[in-house]
Amino acid sequence: MKRVLTIQDISCLGKCSLTIALPVISALGSETVILPTALLSTHTMFKNFTCKDLSDQIDPIAAHWKSEGVAFDAIYTGYLGSIGQIDQVRRLFDMFRGKDTLIVVDPVMADNGKLYPAFDMDYVKKNAELCAGADIIVPNITEAALMTGMEYREEYDDEYIRELLAGLDSLGAKVSVLTGVSLKKGQTGVMGYDRATGEYYVYQNRRIDASYHGTGDLFSSTCVGEMMKGRSWRDAMRIAADYTAHTIEVTLQDGDKPWYGVDFEATLPDLMAME
Ligand code: PXL
């Protein structure tokens, strides 16, 4: 069985980060090892959330695993709490990067043209450095614009996306994938660039007019789980985009839907059947 380490916060209530990564990657058939970076009462879109930083636990936990001879087939990082934590995670990559370890970085820090409340431009710079150590990065357009110093645009064409991808590629990861890319009206999806082959990959599906928290985490977790099943990054992105869109649609039909996250619990069985 493949073993995936995922490093991100636990938002106790909120359906994001570890409360998505753990069930989704496990359901896709990989052992999922978690390294919580902070414990929050809710995600940061709620008011008055509590937050206990767990930075002091990261190094001892990693050292213990090392002493146990643990190895990982993939390391996947999401929302991290501070610049110091990014340095810790970079050291952890060096400790556990094996010949075939896939490192996936989702530089979670911003959306819709804005940084999340906890972050500033120093954090953006540090996240760009973290991306350099990854095999695959999956930022959204806002995060990509911030990390590359390019202008954030809501209206754009294929050329703007290619320029963003070129900027991301220069950060150093092997594959750069931009999420939330709408190349035609009514559609959205991903566009990626693979440095080794020089090829672009575009996948678009229907755009649903609803924005939900945690959908980026759902997309990234699904990608990681699908790649661990042996799928190419392109197939994994396609399935993850379809699964995320399907989950948003199902959530919209739920009369009791929570505002803070999507009903991925209802759609996990459908993910199992996706090809
Ligand atoms: O879904 C991304 C995310 C993860 N974790 C926390 C967040 C957010 C987005 O706001 O606040 C704590």
Side-chain angles (χ1 to χ4, degrees), residues 139-141 156 177-184 186-192 201-207 219 237-238 241-242:
N140 59 34
I141 294 177
Y156 50 78
V177 177
L178 264 174
T179 62
V181 173
S182 299
L183 293 173
K184 278 204 193 122
Q187 295 191 340
T188 192
V190 297
M191 183 159 171
Y201 173 71
V202 185
Y203 183 69
Q204 297 278 285
N205 59 13
R206 62 215 175 277
R207 185 190 174 99
F219 174 84
M237 304 289 150
R238 173 179 54 76
D242 284 344

Side-chain angles (χ1 to χ4, degrees), residues 85-161:
Q85 274 189 1
I86 295 182
D87 281 330
Q88 288 178 295
V89 168
R90 288 170 73 201
R91 287 200 295 277
L92 202 140
F93 286 173
D94 293 339
M95 273 171 94
F96 290 100
R97 187 196 290 271
K99 189 166 65 60
D100 297 318
T101 310
L102 180 76
I103 298 196
V104 180
V105 170
D106 185 353
V108 178
M109 59 185 159
D111 206 359
N112 301 314
K114 276 203 218 97
L115 273 170
Y116 291 149
F119 304 132
D120 59 18
M121 284 313 286
D122 289 337
Y123 187 80
V124 171
K125 213 170 135 224
K126 209 68 192 175
N127 246 326
E129 288 171 24
L130 184 67
C131 287
D135 294 301
I136 304 188
I137 57 173
V138 286
N140 59 34
I141 294 177
T142 307
E143 289 154 351
L146 285 164
M147 289 194 295
T148 58
M150 283 178 59
E151 180 198 357
Y152 169 75
R153 289 197 205 149
E154 302 217 326
E155 309 262 310
Y156 50 78
D157 54 12
D158 187 82
E159 202 187 319
Y160 171 72
I161 298 299

Side-chain angles (χ1 to χ4, degrees), residues 9 11 16-17 40 43-45 79 108 116 213-214 217:
D9 70 278
S11 291
C16 67
S17 39
L40 292 88
H43 61 54
T44 60
M45 298 295 122
Y79 186 105
V108 178
Y116 291 149
H213 223 71
D217 302 334

